[in-house]
Amino acid sequence: MASIIAPRGTRDILPGESYKWSYVIKTAGEVMSDFAFNEIYIPIFEHTELFARGVGETSDIVEKEMYTFIDRGGRSITLRPEATAGVMRSALENNLCAQGNFAKLWSYGPMFRYERPQKGRYRQFYQIDAECLGIAGAEADIEIINLSLELFKRLGLKNLEVVINSVGCEKCRPVYREKLVEYFNQHKDELCETCLNRLERNPLRILDCKKENCGKVAENAPDIFNSLCDECKEHFKKVCAGLERLGFKYKLNKRLVRGLDYYTKTAFEILSGDLGAQNAVCGGGRYDNLAEAAGGSHLPGVGFACGLDRVVIVMEEQGCSFGKIPEPKIFVIAKNDDARENAQVITSKLRSEKIAAVCDIAGRSFKNQIKNANSYEYICKADEAGNLELVKNSDDVHENLTLDEIVGRLK
RNA sequence: GUGAGUGUAGCGCAAUUGGUCAGAGCUUCGGAUUGUGGUUCCGGCGGUUGAGGGUUCAAGUCCCUUCACUCACCCCA
């Protein structure tokens, strides 16, 4: 009997864990609201073309990590590997940024990437996503980074490192790219096989290679800052100045390169040392070319994606609080078998008064009910005649009360 | 896709060089005791040792295959 188990890379967030997730999402919602970001729900699947064009044909995601299938209508559909393209699609489709308006949007939910699972990496994983669309200025970049750091601050994450870089725009990146190709071509024999491949398809990513030899070669590679156009340079300066003004520490990393093709100008990551190899809890940046790549009109944007699975791991690792575990306040015990029905009626009435209450519905013995009830704040003993006895567990005081009196006491 | 490690009751674990080894603890359920109540005691449920082959008189223990998990590469959140 081959029992069915969850597909590789997926997992169940069980009741013992789920409250942590709820806490993080609830906190995120509060922060978003304080920053005036509005929640948006978008589809979990989109036309494959959106990601192929938006994320980039040469990205690893599109090349080998997408869950793509043909639906019954013959359409090529893909389970979203990231959220930004979908949010952008929605903003364009619904004219959220018509007439020079901007939109501050956030969302959360599952993403899908066919990768080999490891710590902090799953095939179905969850992201909290924030996007600021319609603003080209550096203030938006600063707002987005500010937002992510405020979220982590409220969640209590410690020892985070903010890394930023500029990857240029459609004007200056091609120039830099040429310089890189020229440089790396002179050092072909020192590069690893994947980097030789990257040289053809996406030379920027060679900078990111962790192999020792490639790293050495990359160290002496042309500096992107020497190639940035004036606009990009200026933009980057403003972002850095803004972060400093807000009192955020950050590190420049000229070798920080995004795996997704749509990024322009600002790229940033927030790293944690408590995650193992997959050390990014948050990654993002500006993507002024995404809208056009997705077939829309020009619409600048900047945003981040925050890995929920990873945030929870780091919080556990650092002993952060997940708030109070929600738990019923009172257990209604049937004093004997004849009182069972009455206990359920009482419980129902308490619930109508918005008091979290439980009673035994599994036919447990009295003894067992008592045993379970001891972990609740209150116990209510009901007999078959409808008499109620309220006991506060902490001080062991027994009182005979009416239902109304109990409601008044617990509210 | 590549590499390494792991896989025994719901959970975390134990079983000398292959030879009564299929076990205890916690949980759970029932019972006894207690003020019908957190303790203590007794008992029950629970596993063809991930699955499938093979070697052997004998395999949880060795070999092969497969599945899953873990970590790392790759890449990213």
Side-chain angles (χ1 to χ4, degrees):
Chain A
M1 46 116 242
S3 59
I4 297 173
I5 58 177
R8 175 159 231 200
T10 68
R11 57 188 184 145
D12 305 305
I13 307 302
L14 301 173
E17 293 282 295
S18 55
Y19 75 94
K20 300 176 182 174
W21 290 60
S22 305
Y23 175 75
V24 174
I25 290 161
K26 182 176 138 263
T27 305
E30 289 166 5
V31 177
M32 296 296 174
S33 161
D34 290 346
F35 275 73
F37 275 66
N38 297 305
E39 187 165 11
I40 180 172
Y41 288 74
I42 55 168
I44 282 175
F45 58 84
E46 298 270 2
H47 290 291
T48 301
E49 202 183 355
L50 173 66
F51 301 116
R53 297 209 307 220
V55 175
E57 301 279 5
T58 64
S59 68
D60 278 26
I61 291 177
V62 173
E63 274 186 352
K64 50 192 191 194
E65 294 175 1
M66 296 206 304
Y67 276 92
T68 296
F69 60 96
I70 303 297
D71 76 5
R72 286 165 189 266
R75 294 169 276 257
S76 180
I77 296 295
T78 293
L79 265 32
R80 62 182 186 190
E82 57 99 45
T84 305
V87 171
M88 180 56 91
R89 191 227 81 229
S90 175
L92 293 169
E93 188 170 336
N94 298 291
N95 279 320
L96 262 33
C97 297
Q99 298 183 322
N101 275 327
F102 62 88
K104 302 203 290 186
L105 305 167
W106 80 280
S107 187
Y108 75 90
M111 309 294 158
F112 305 86
R113 261 124 93 158
Y114 189 89
E115 297 182 275
R116 193 80 170 257
Q118 78 185 71
K119 184 169 186 179
R121 193 172 73 183
Y122 308 93
R123 288 183 176 179
Q124 174 172 336
F125 60 103
Y126 297 79
Q127 286 185 338
I128 296 171
D129 209 73
E131 316 288 351
C132 180
L133 306 181
I135 299 174
E139 291 87 345
D141 305 45
I142 297 164
E143 173 118 321
I144 281 292
I145 296 174
N146 187 180
L147 173 59
S148 66
L149 290 173
E150 178 63 25
L151 172 59
F152 294 136
K153 186 173 146 199
R154 287 203 206 173
L155 292 174
L157 295 205
K158 303 254 173 354
N159 306 323
L160 296 177
E161 187 179 38
V162 181
V163 187
I164 74 168
N165 191 23
S166 176
V167 295
C169 64
E170 71 280 4
K171 280 176 281 181
C172 54
R173 184 150 50 166
V175 178
Y176 179 57
R177 191 190 151 109
E178 276 315 303
K179 284 189 191 170
L180 269 188
V181 171
E182 192 182 326
Y183 170 79
F184 283 124
N185 264 326
Q186 291 164 5
H187 298 272
K188 260 187 170 173
D189 47 334
E190 297 162 66
L191 296 176
C192 69
E193 209 165 304
T194 40
C195 279
L196 287 176
N197 197 352
R198 286 169 178 148
L199 188 51
E200 306 293 323
R201 319 194 66 160
N202 195 343
L204 285 259
R205 297 236 307 273
I206 300 177
L207 295 173
D208 211 21
C209 186
K210 283 163 197 147
K211 295 234 166 63
E212 202 184 329
N213 274 343
C214 303
K216 274 184 195 163
V217 178
E219 260 175 44
N220 297 317
D223 187 334
I224 184 153
F225 287 100
N226 295 332
S227 301
L228 289 183
C229 62
D230 289 345
E231 187 191 326
C232 285
K233 247 183 228 168
E234 191 59 27
H235 187 93
F236 190 69
K237 265 187 209 162
K238 280 185 184 165
V239 172
C240 292
L243 294 182
E244 278 156 36
R245 206 155 41 233
L246 297 177
F248 297 133
K249 291 205 168 71
Y250 63 89
K251 266 170 91 171
L252 287 186
N253 183 351
K254 294 177 183 175
R255 289 167 57 185
L256 171 65
V257 172
R258 312 273 53 207
L260 285 54
D261 291 357
Y262 56 59
Y263 284 104
T264 55
K265 293 181 177 164
T266 314
F268 74 96
E269 272 181 10
I270 299 177
L271 312 175
S272 168
D274 292 308
L275 265 176
Q278 307 302 319
N279 61 351
V281 287
C282 179
R286 178 163 281 283
Y287 43 88
D288 292 344
N289 297 331
L290 171 59
E292 283 153 299
S297 49
H298 178 74
L299 183 61
V302 56
F304 71 72
C306 161
L308 195 44
D309 310 75
R310 293 181 184 180
V311 166
V312 171
I313 291 173
V314 175
M315 286 178 72
E316 286 171 338
E317 211 78 38
Q318 300 187 350
C320 297
S321 162
F322 290 99
K324 278 187 188 156
I325 303 167
E327 187 177 72
K329 216 172 179 178
I330 180 165
F331 193 115
V332 181
I333 291 178
K335 278 194 164 185
N336 52 56
D337 280 345
D338 292 336
R340 283 184 183 279
E341 292 172 3
N342 193 29
Q344 194 160 29
V345 171
I346 299 294
T347 306
S348 171
K349 286 179 176 165
L350 287 170
R351 290 165 173 166
S352 297
E353 297 294 334
K354 296 189 178 172
I355 294 168
V358 288
C359 63
D360 172 55
I361 55 172
R364 303 277 203 240
S365 67
F366 177 82
K367 165 102 181 175
N368 192 273
Q369 291 182 49
I370 284 284
K371 213 173 155 187
N372 286 310
N374 276 318
S375 58
Y376 295 88
E377 193 177 345
Y378 290 95
I379 292 175
C380 174
K381 292 193 223 171
D383 67 13
E384 67 281 14
N387 299 311
L388 303 176
E389 183 184 348
L390 183 70
V391 182
K392 187 166 187 185
N393 268 322
S394 55
D395 49 21
D396 205 30
V397 175
H398 298 233
E399 289 175 283
N400 291 308
L401 299 171
T402 65
L403 180 59
D404 285 346
E405 287 170 329
I406 292 178
V407 169
R409 196 68 65 86
L410 298 196
K411 264 206 158 173

